[in-house]
Amino acid sequence: MGGDVTVALVGAAPGAARRRATVQVLRVVSWAAPAVCAALAVSSGGGARWAFGSGAVVATAVACAYRRFFADFARASSLPTDGSLEVTADHLVVRHAGVLATDIAIPWAVVRAVCIDDHEVPRRFVLPSATDGPTAGRPVALFGPGQRRRGGVPLLAAASVVPNVLVLVEPPVEVPWRYPFAVGPFDPPWGPRWPARPWPVPALTPAFLVALADPSALTASAAAHAPVREISAADGRYLAEGGLLD
């Protein structure tokens, strides 16, 4: 193989800047509304005072319920959304300052497989039905319509993206998560965090998902070091044994 090859990760989805601006406006409005209602209640009388007072209570409850969401979204807006995979002679290097505290250098000797799925379908990485084991008789897609993820395979992205590369490693490698991490666009305050992050601190994982701008470039360069293929039923069993499937 020739020199090192670097492939860019997909950054923010189209319209992300507009969504960030909208949430910033909502963040200001959520705390201004209770203050305005309270001021109107004080200066009004009769039924109007009761109505504005009730509005102030409801607006305060909503603002408190979503305070974590707005604070985390503001913090997420400042995180880098771009990164890269670099193929070197000895390692597969993952760089993403938005979700990783440090770069990950994975020796090719522990890369079980690189699976690529960039078909124009609503589901990605569909595991074939297995005849035995945890996935027996039930096809499983690691990523489905509406950007739903199955199980706990972490997606290394700081924005809502559709993954097209799954890297399987054996034995597992540590993912040095950046901390604190933020919820993603329009996740409810009690909803799941973005991306799939099954651990609150750095932890070992036997697999992770990424979204590449040009997955074919990774195919050509990684094939010299590790198997590049479609996901298999055996991979499903491996993920299940690692606790990454429901």
Side-chain angles (χ1 to χ4, degrees), residues 3-169:
D4 299 349
V5 175
T6 300
V7 186
L9 298 179
V10 175
R18 184 171 60 253
R19 289 195 297 270
R20 285 197 296 268
T22 300
V23 170
Q24 295 287 32
V25 170
L26 291 175
R27 186 186 187 192
V28 173
V29 170
S30 69
W31 292 109
V36 171
C37 288
L40 291 173
V42 170
S43 61
S44 302
R49 171 172 292 182
W50 182 89
F52 284 124
S54 299
V57 172
V58 172
T60 300
V62 171
C64 289
Y66 278 83
R67 69 187 184 280
R68 192 199 79 185
F69 164 73
F70 289 128
D72 283 353
F73 199 105
R75 189 160 56 245
S77 298
S78 64
L79 294 178
T81 58
D82 56 343
S84 67
L85 286 187
E86 182 181 0
V87 175
T88 72
D90 301 315
H91 296 87
L92 176 66
V93 183
V94 188
R95 295 186 174 91
H96 197 318
V99 294
L100 299 176
T102 60
D103 298 343
I104 309 174
I106 305 169
W108 286 113
V110 306
V111 177
R112 175 187 175 103
V114 176
C115 302
I116 297 179
D117 185 348
D118 59 349
H119 299 97
E120 294 297 329
V121 294
R123 298 194 301 168
R124 292 278 173 89
F125 302 104
V126 180
L127 290 161
S129 298
T131 56
D132 59 359
T135 62
R138 54 183 183 94
V140 174
L142 298 185
F143 198 90
Q147 298 181 330
R148 292 194 300 271
R149 297 170 302 285
R150 178 63 181 256
V153 181
L155 171 57
L156 304 188
S160 299
V161 296
V162 178
N164 50 25
V165 174
L166 170 70
V167 179
L168 296 154
V169 291

Side-chain angles (χ1 to χ4, degrees), residues 153-242:
V153 181
L155 171 57
L156 304 188
S160 299
V161 296
V162 178
N164 50 25
V165 174
L166 170 70
V167 179
L168 296 154
V169 291
E170 189 175 10
V173 297
E174 182 177 281
V175 176
W177 294 113
R178 177 190 176 107
Y179 184 83
F181 199 73
V183 295
F186 297 99
D187 284 339
W190 300 283
R193 287 175 176 264
W194 179 272
R197 185 183 182 189
W199 322 282
V201 295
L204 298 176
T205 179
F208 59 87
L209 292 161
V210 294
L212 291 187
D214 183 9
S216 62
L218 178 68
T219 302
S221 57
H225 305 285
V228 178
R229 55 170 173 76
E230 294 185 354
I231 196 168
S232 68
D235 296 330
R237 290 191 292 271
Y238 179 66
L239 293 174
E241 291 168 358

